[in-house]
Amino acid sequence: MQSTHMAVTLPIYMDHMATTPVAPEVFEVMRPYFCERFGNPASRSHSFGWVAEEAVELARAQVARLLGCKAAEIVWTSGATEANNLAIKGVAAAYREKGRHIVTSQIEHHAVLDTCKRLEREGYEVTYLPVDQDGRIDPADVERAIRKDTILISIMAANNEIGTLQPIAEIGLIAKRHGVLFHTDAAQYVGKLPLSVDDWQVDLLSASAHKCYGPKGVGALYVRMSRPRVKLVPQMDGGGHEKGRRSGTLNVPGCVGFGAACALAERELETQPVRLRLLRERLRNELESGLDYLRFNGHPTERLPGNLNVSFEFVEGESLLMALREIAVSSGSACTSATTEPSYVLLAIGLNVELAHASIRFGLGRSNTEEEVDYVGARVIENIDRLRALSPSYEMVREGIGVKGTPWNLRAY
Ligand SMILES: *Cc1c(COP(=O)(O)O)cnc(C)c1O
């Protein structure tokens, strides 16, 4: 499937917001825990169990270190989806006598939105806050949404589509002042930028290993143990693992891999964001100098280093992706079985359905190089030019007949 072209190997992976490869050094740490050190960490009566338990506890400490919390505050899960479910449903059930109102945003991941929708069917009330044109939530809106019966605020740290970072510390301050628990889905943030649960004043935080060079199928939920001590009703019943918070035999190689990925992220936390930001700016500059009528989505500065989300006017989303088959990127359309829906995140920041479909998310990561960025930039420009040559409305605008009038705001960031 792979072929070499100029200085790059095809296909090029530029979809690191969807998933990342397991880093080789992470895989080497995981390797012994499949066949040799295969013990069950819950086995207390022999060394096979002790060896596995020791590895899982070291990994727990590594995850905790990256988040700035205690190891005992980490609950292993199968990923951020489960962590979000456990946080929101767990708090909703534990505090139902206190109140039934939850505050979240319109641009959360489905794991948060669909969990909230289920709770609505069960008698809870949810406020879905809007975002501005850069995808930012106004902390004042959060404060205004808080009621006497509000039990939880859940706002993501970084958006998976447009890369916008939310003012988590400001929202944390508001949550604390009103005595409302605060959860953040930090699946896209953990390992990419430095964070501390105390600086943010969050009470619950979801993370996922496969978004930061660890394996798929493992994640973690941070649950604050003191001031306040967060109560959770477990969503998985069984052997009482994880202090009763999440039953089920642990995915030992997965936990070990997540720990190693966190240690790796910590070592690279100074260098990777700088490198990725430069690569992203390089790609943005190339697109901007080669094309007109494009729009960069997400916040100009408050954004994930490796994320670039661009809308191209006068092209069809489908044909664009088809033309870029040798480049792995995501589009502004969510393919749910048969139908193709425009991204609700792009609609929430004010794009129309057409433009949402004609959008591409580039997710730069550890493996990407300047050569790859240059190759991708050139291919995109080439294909947009070709597709636009077939568009009558683009021709009319070029000739000044003015179908739409002004070009898209070409903002710098
Ligand atoms: C990927 C992702 C999830 C889901 O994580 P899984 O570990 O794949 O279940 C949740 N929230 C955000 C923001 C994500 O990017």
Side-chain angles (χ1 to χ4, degrees), residues 5 38-39 59 79 87 89 101 128 136 147 155 168 170 201-202 277-278 281 285 316 333 361 364 375 395 404 409:
H5 195 282
F38 60 85
K89 291 175 185 168
H101 179 237
Y128 301 91
R136 289 269 281 189
R147 319 191 309 210
I155 301 288
I168 297 298
E170 284 173 60
Q201 303 216 47
V202 293
R277 221 170 269 131
L278 283 172
E281 286 307 288
N285 288 334
E316 240 190 59
S333 318
R361 175 187 70 183
L364 296 158
Y375 178 84
E395 278 312 298
K404 307 233 171 160
N409 47 334

Side-chain angles (χ1 to χ4, degrees), residues 159-199:
N159 186 270
N160 43 300
E161 289 187 38
I162 56 174
T164 298
L165 310 180
Q166 298 301 341
I168 297 298
E170 284 173 60
I171 298 169
L173 209 64
I174 290 165
K176 189 107 306 173
R177 200 156 65 225
H178 291 266
V180 178
L181 293 178
F182 182 26
H183 165 250
T184 188
D185 173 358
Q188 290 291 342
Y189 199 106
V190 169
K192 292 177 188 152
L193 291 167
L195 77 94
S196 136
V197 293
D198 285 337
D199 289 351

Side-chain angles (χ1 to χ4, degrees), residues 83-104:
N84 286 339
N85 272 263
L86 176 57
I88 298 168
K89 291 175 185 168
V91 163
Y95 295 86
R96 60 182 297 141
E97 296 314 320
K98 187 177 175 242
R100 314 246 166 122
H101 179 237
I102 295 168
V103 177
T104 186

Side-chain angles (χ1 to χ4, degrees), residues 17-18 78-82 84 109 111 156 158-160 185-188 207-211 217-219:
M17 263 87 242
S78 62
T81 297
E82 189 194 335
N84 286 339
H109 190 271
M156 72 198 323
N159 186 270
N160 43 300
D185 173 358
Q188 290 291 342
S208 177
H210 78 94
K211 300 289 175 69
V218 62

Side-chain angles (χ1 to χ4, degrees), residues 81-408:
T81 297
E82 189 194 335
N84 286 339
N85 272 263
L86 176 57
I88 298 168
K89 291 175 185 168
V91 163
Y95 295 86
R96 60 182 297 141
E97 296 314 320
K98 187 177 175 242
R100 314 246 166 122
H101 179 237
I102 295 168
V103 177
T104 186
S105 84
Q106 292 174 358
I107 64 162
E108 298 295 310
H109 190 271
H110 273 297
V112 167
L113 289 179
D114 292 5
T115 298
C116 287
K117 280 182 200 138
R118 184 179 298 280
L119 288 174
E120 281 185 290
R121 292 196 291 273
E122 292 172 2
Y124 290 82
E125 282 181 70
V126 182
T127 301
Y128 301 91
L129 296 173
V131 292
D132 66 16
Q133 60 172 10
D134 297 325
R136 289 269 281 189
I137 288 153
D138 184 348
D141 284 346
V142 177
E143 183 146 39
R144 273 191 290 273
I146 295 174
R147 319 191 309 210
K148 274 204 183 65
D149 61 342
T150 305
I151 50 173
L152 181 69
I153 297 165
S154 180
I155 301 288
M156 72 198 323
N159 186 270
N160 43 300
E161 289 187 38
I162 56 174
T164 298
L165 310 180
Q166 298 301 341
I168 297 298
E170 284 173 60
I171 298 169
L173 209 64
I174 290 165
K176 189 107 306 173
R177 200 156 65 225
H178 291 266
V180 178
L181 293 178
F182 182 26
H183 165 250
T184 188
D185 173 358
Q188 290 291 342
Y189 199 106
V190 169
K192 292 177 188 152
L193 291 167
L195 77 94
S196 136
V197 293
D198 285 337
D199 289 351
W200 275 1
Q201 303 216 47
V202 293
D203 302 304
L204 300 122
L205 178 148
S206 302
S208 177
H210 78 94
K211 300 289 175 69
C212 57
Y213 307 96
K216 292 164 187 59
V218 62
L221 179 65
Y222 154 75
V223 186
R224 189 175 288 280
M225 251 173 35
S226 63
R227 281 175 297 169
R229 182 181 184 85
V230 178
K231 287 183 287 178
L232 274 187
V233 172
Q235 301 298 303
M236 195 83 86
D237 295 309
H241 307 76
E242 299 295 281
K243 301 200 178 80
R245 295 172 296 188
R246 199 272 191 177
S247 286
T249 299
L250 290 174
N251 169 3
V252 177
C255 298
V256 166
F258 194 7
C262 288
L264 171 66
E266 201 171 311
R267 289 197 296 277
E268 297 189 342
L269 223 38
E270 302 265 304
T271 53
Q272 277 301 331
V274 178
R275 199 184 77 86
L276 292 178
R277 221 170 269 131
L278 283 172
L279 284 182
R280 183 195 75 208
E281 286 307 288
R282 188 180 179 98
L283 181 57
R284 191 184 66 82
N285 288 334
E286 284 172 9
L287 296 179
E288 205 169 44
S289 51
L291 296 166
D292 53 8
Y293 293 94
L294 35 83
R295 172 188 158 126
F296 295 103
N297 301 308
H299 196 280
T301 54
E302 293 298 306
R303 58 186 298 103
L304 287 173
N307 174 289
L308 187 70
N309 190 307
V310 200
S311 304
F312 303 94
E313 223 185 335
F314 308 112
V315 294
E316 240 190 59
E318 284 297 292
S319 27
L320 182 53
L321 271 208
M322 286 296 283
L324 299 175
R325 256 174 319 194
E326 85 237 291
I327 302 164
V329 290
S330 279
S331 77
S333 318
C335 299
T336 43
S337 60
T339 62
T340 306
E341 297 284 327
S343 149
Y344 61 90
V345 175
L346 295 178
L347 297 185
I349 60 169
L351 269 63
N352 62 33
V353 170
E354 244 183 345
L355 203 54
H357 279 304
S359 305
I360 289 188
R361 175 187 70 183
F362 299 92
L364 296 158
R366 273 180 105 225
S367 64
N368 293 127
T369 62
E370 285 185 356
E371 287 74 25
E372 287 179 332
V373 163
D374 295 348
Y375 178 84
V376 168
R379 286 294 83 68
V380 171
I381 291 168
E382 198 176 282
N383 282 289
I384 297 279
D385 279 344
R386 188 175 53 77
L387 293 168
R388 280 180 176 172
L390 310 170
S391 158
S393 42
Y394 182 66
E395 278 312 298
M396 283 163 77
V397 169
R398 287 310 304 264
E399 285 159 18
I401 299 169
V403 177
K404 307 233 171 160
T406 49
W408 275 94

